[in-house]
Amino acid sequence: MPEQPIEIRPDDARYDALRRGFNQRWIAQPDYVVVATSADDVTAALGKFLSNPANATRRITVRSGGHCYENFVSAKDVGVIIDVSQMNRVYFDASMNAYCVEAGATNWHTATQLYRSSGRALPGGSCYSVGSGGHISGGGYGLLSRTFGLTVDYLHAVEVVTAADGKTPHTTVARKDSSDAALRDLWWAHTGGGGGNFGVITRYWFRDLPEPPAQVLLRSVAWKWKDFRKRPHLFKSLVRRYGEFFAHEHAGTGPDWIHRNGYSDMFTLLKLTHMSAKKVGLIVQMDGTDEDSPARLKDFLDWLTHGFSAGGKQYIAETVLDQQIGEHPGQKELFIPTRLPWLTATQSLNDSGPNRCGKYKSAYHTKAFTEHQIDAIHRHLTADGYSNPDALLQIDSYGGMVNDIAQDATAVPQRSSVLKLQYQAYWTWDKDADKNEIYDYRDAEQDPTIAAPHLSWIRNFYRDVYHSTGGVPAVPDPALPASQSSNTDGCYVNYPDIDLNDQNLNTSGQPWHQLYYKTNYARLQRTKRRWDPHNVFRHGQSIELPKAT
């Protein structure tokens, strides 16, 4: 009889750590957590769960890195969590003629193992501790994506433990070139369809992976909020010109130097904090092997900071980015443009922030910001009734090679965007609600006012920015000419936001799945019907079974 996988139960010292993830808002109470080390472990765990009638109304969920932003993995209705973080090998699989990444490998582990052994890389995320299982299945992007595209653009195959009959698990390998159309659909569904929808992902295989530049050029810079408070028009100019730069690059408009110099190798993160953080930050990475990179970087920064000085006076001074902002640590060493090996640079940018609670929202933008959006951004970041230095809007540059793929080639349909936005609010348990002289999640359970101001701020912020499209970044109306359509293109499934399900917060008439998947949703539903018709794998925004016809 095969050895059974490890089960961590409530009387085990490890239980409290393994029943939760990165976001401390969500704490599950499963019967046990399975520590899986192989697909056989996953199969055994899933079979045991499905054979127990007591689990008919409870969920089985999967954790790789534990970075799910909503309660899709850790929630009160979860009976069992399968933890695949021990399945973390990264290697070349000669039988598949492809590089294999197991679902539990983190971004950092994947980067180091791939690069050291082959000189190649996935164009994946910058947060080191995110697990491959969820990151890749949602599309996956990072600082190399403008140069090389999304992670899933290189996906050749995926191994998934499925249970199509609702009773008997099977290990299924779906390839891009599978002869069976149903297997091709299952492969395609994992190129952006999100995790927790069709089965338990155990392995991915990639072909034709790119080689990152041997050296990259990095720079971080910050500007003080006290200066922007005196001259709000310059803060708005920074946001406006940032959006315009990448819109010009995509459309072939604007100054000739943008197109003559070329910027597809540049990835930027503009961190627009709440004013209580005291500084706004920017991180830039470029190909450091190009001799003209320092000059191109200067041209870009000069464009962004137009008007910051005039007539010999400096109104908005550059300063060091010397503090944690969002999920990235301070980068004061990079105030002077610095050339580093790519892997070293990746390590220096890596972090996931301290243990805390969080709420997140996302948006794709296909054009520069409207004046209403710029005003709304400024209005909420300078809100006097709210103070939180860990609240921000992060705006990533996007486009480049990402946009060279057809919107139905993968399950990621947003292939014309120039900016990718993540609204973030973090907080900790700052009240001893249960009067035991310690802070923990029980305080938040007893006192909803701990989270309330942060949730209210981010919801009002988001709704105001997208006021003209129903409080969300609606996808374009195909019936309208491009000149009349909105400048938004929906949301990123890997930044899940359950508020999109709420018709009081989303008045666009576009359901959450349209915002994530657009017209690709119908194929995802057909795949769900074929591979998980009993809806074993489900959560608050899982793929819905199509209605019977």
Side-chain angles (χ1 to χ4, degrees):
M1 185 174 180
E3 185 176 342
Q4 294 299 302
I6 299 168
E7 295 179 355
I8 307 299
R9 296 183 177 273
D11 60 353
D12 192 301
R14 295 168 288 179
Y15 178 81
D16 200 35
L18 299 185
R19 65 187 176 127
R20 67 179 79 194
F22 167 76
N23 190 347
Q24 299 301 305
R25 287 180 69 196
W26 314 120
I27 312 294
Q29 296 177 339
D31 292 340
Y32 53 89
V33 177
V34 175
V35 178
T37 60
S38 66
D40 287 343
D41 281 354
V42 172
T43 300
L46 181 55
K48 180 177 178 178
F49 177 85
L50 294 174
S51 67
N52 185 350
N55 291 325
T57 60
R58 298 198 299 171
R59 295 190 294 132
I60 186 168
T61 61
V62 188
R63 186 180 75 177
S64 53
H67 279 255
C68 185
Y69 287 160
E70 291 287 3
N71 68 344
F72 299 166
V73 175
S74 295
K76 303 300 184 188
D77 65 339
V78 172
V80 172
I81 298 174
I82 300 179
D83 187 316
V84 299
S85 59
Q86 294 296 299
M87 300 171 60
N88 56 17
R89 293 186 306 153
V90 178
Y91 58 95
F92 182 76
D93 185 345
S95 66
M96 191 71 78
N97 191 29
Y99 293 94
C100 181
V101 177
E102 293 186 339
T106 63
N107 282 336
W108 178 238
H109 187 72
T110 300
T112 57
Q113 298 307 301
L114 272 177
Y115 190 70
R116 287 169 177 160
S117 63
S118 68
R120 299 179 182 274
L122 293 179
S126 63
C127 180
Y128 80 94
S129 57
V130 170
S132 296
H135 180 67
I136 294 168
S137 61
Y141 82 105
L143 276 69
L144 295 175
S145 288
R146 280 172 44 81
T147 307
F148 298 121
L150 301 181
T151 303
V152 293
D153 296 341
Y154 299 89
L155 184 65
H156 174 67
V158 60
E159 180 180 81
V160 193
V161 178
T162 57
D165 64 356
K167 300 176 182 178
T168 312
H170 294 281
T171 301
T172 305
V173 176
R175 298 165 42 137
K176 183 177 183 179
D177 58 358
S178 294
S179 58
D180 185 339
L183 287 172
R184 292 197 301 274
D185 282 347
L186 186 60
W187 163 82
W188 179 88
H190 287 86
T191 64
N197 285 310
F198 308 100
V200 182
I201 303 161
T202 50
R203 288 191 288 179
Y204 296 100
W205 288 270
F206 299 89
R207 285 185 178 177
D208 303 317
L209 286 175
E211 298 179 6
Q215 304 280 328
V216 295
L217 182 67
L218 293 173
R219 179 147 198 236
S220 71
V221 62
W223 303 278
K224 294 180 179 179
W225 258 116
K226 69 176 184 179
D227 294 335
F228 282 133
R229 293 288 283 162
K230 296 175 183 175
R231 294 175 173 81
H233 68 283
L234 291 179
F235 174 86
K236 295 179 182 181
S237 175
L238 172 69
V239 178
R240 182 183 302 110
R241 293 177 74 84
Y242 185 82
E244 288 176 346
F245 180 91
F246 293 105
H248 284 323
E249 182 203 32
H250 177 67
T253 56
D256 289 341
W257 60 267
I258 295 178
H259 313 289
R260 182 174 63 252
N261 293 344
Y263 282 88
S264 64
D265 66 321
M266 182 178 74
F267 193 93
T268 59
L269 303 94
L270 180 62
K271 292 176 172 287
L272 304 177
T273 58
H274 186 270
M275 65 177 181
S276 55
K278 302 187 184 306
K279 288 185 179 182
V280 167
L282 175 72
I283 300 172
V284 181
Q285 176 177 295
M286 305 177 72
D287 186 337
T289 64
D290 289 343
E291 293 183 1
D292 64 346
S293 290
R296 290 188 296 125
L297 173 60
K298 183 179 183 302
D299 289 342
F300 171 68
L301 290 173
D302 287 347
W303 165 272
L304 285 189
T305 58
H306 177 75
F308 281 25
S309 61
K313 291 185 177 181
Q314 191 169 43
Y315 302 117
I316 309 292
E318 289 186 349
T319 184
V320 295
L321 181 57
D322 56 356
Q323 61 192 63
Q324 174 95 25
I325 298 183
E327 295 179 359
H328 289 93
Q331 304 286 338
K332 64 180 181 180
E333 297 84 1
L334 303 178
F335 182 68
I336 303 299
T338 303
R339 183 178 284 113
L340 291 171
W342 171 78
L343 191 64
T344 306
T346 300
Q347 183 179 24
S348 73
L349 294 176
N350 260 318
D351 208 341
S352 62
N355 294 321
R356 50 192 174 175
C357 303
K359 176 63 182 174
Y360 313 81
K361 294 178 177 290
S362 69
Y364 290 95
H365 282 228
T366 58
K367 305 172 189 175
F369 295 103
T370 67
E371 288 306 304
H372 168 82
Q373 290 168 343
I374 294 170
D375 289 342
I377 290 169
H378 180 263
R379 181 161 50 248
H380 290 272
L381 294 179
T382 57
D384 288 327
Y386 180 71
S387 180
N388 181 3
D390 294 319
L392 69 148
L393 168 59
Q394 178 177 303
I395 309 175
D396 293 355
S397 54
Y398 207 61
M401 282 290 290
V402 174
N403 292 345
D404 288 351
I405 304 295
Q407 74 168 31
D408 60 353
T410 67
V412 179
Q414 290 88 1
R415 296 291 187 166
S416 60
S417 297
V418 298
L419 301 170
K420 195 167 191 173
L421 282 63
Q422 185 179 20
Y423 297 76
Q424 308 170 42
Y426 302 94
W427 64 94
T428 57
W429 309 297
D430 58 357
K431 294 181 182 179
D432 183 14
D434 57 7
K435 308 300 182 184
N436 65 352
E437 299 184 352
I438 59 172
Y439 289 163
D440 64 12
Y441 73 94
R442 297 177 182 87
D443 296 308
E445 289 183 339
Q446 289 197 20
D447 188 352
T449 66
I450 293 175
H454 309 290
L455 297 176
S456 178
W457 176 81
I458 197 171
R459 286 168 175 162
N460 290 334
F461 185 6
Y462 195 68
R463 182 165 46 190
D464 191 3
V465 172
Y466 304 111
H467 174 77
S468 65
T469 53
V472 297
V475 303
D477 183 347
L480 291 175
S483 60
Q484 298 179 23
S485 64
S486 69
N487 67 336
T488 57
D489 200 21
C491 306
Y492 181 39
V493 70
N494 269 359
Y495 300 158
D497 175 15
I498 203 69
D499 290 349
L500 299 176
N501 300 32
D502 188 336
Q503 293 184 3
N504 294 315
L505 299 174
N506 173 8
T507 60
S508 68
Q510 297 183 356
W512 61 267
H513 53 77
Q514 186 175 355
L515 295 169
Y516 289 141
Y517 304 118
K518 300 172 65 171
T519 57
N520 284 347
Y521 190 58
R523 185 176 177 185
L524 290 169
Q525 285 187 292
R526 293 195 299 271
T527 305
K528 178 75 168 181
R529 180 172 57 193
R530 167 61 180 83
W531 292 101
D532 187 26
H534 296 274
N535 206 25
V536 172
F537 304 100
R538 62 190 186 275
H539 53 71
Q541 288 181 334
S542 55
I543 304 300
E544 300 164 323
L545 288 164
K547 294 180 180 178
T549 57

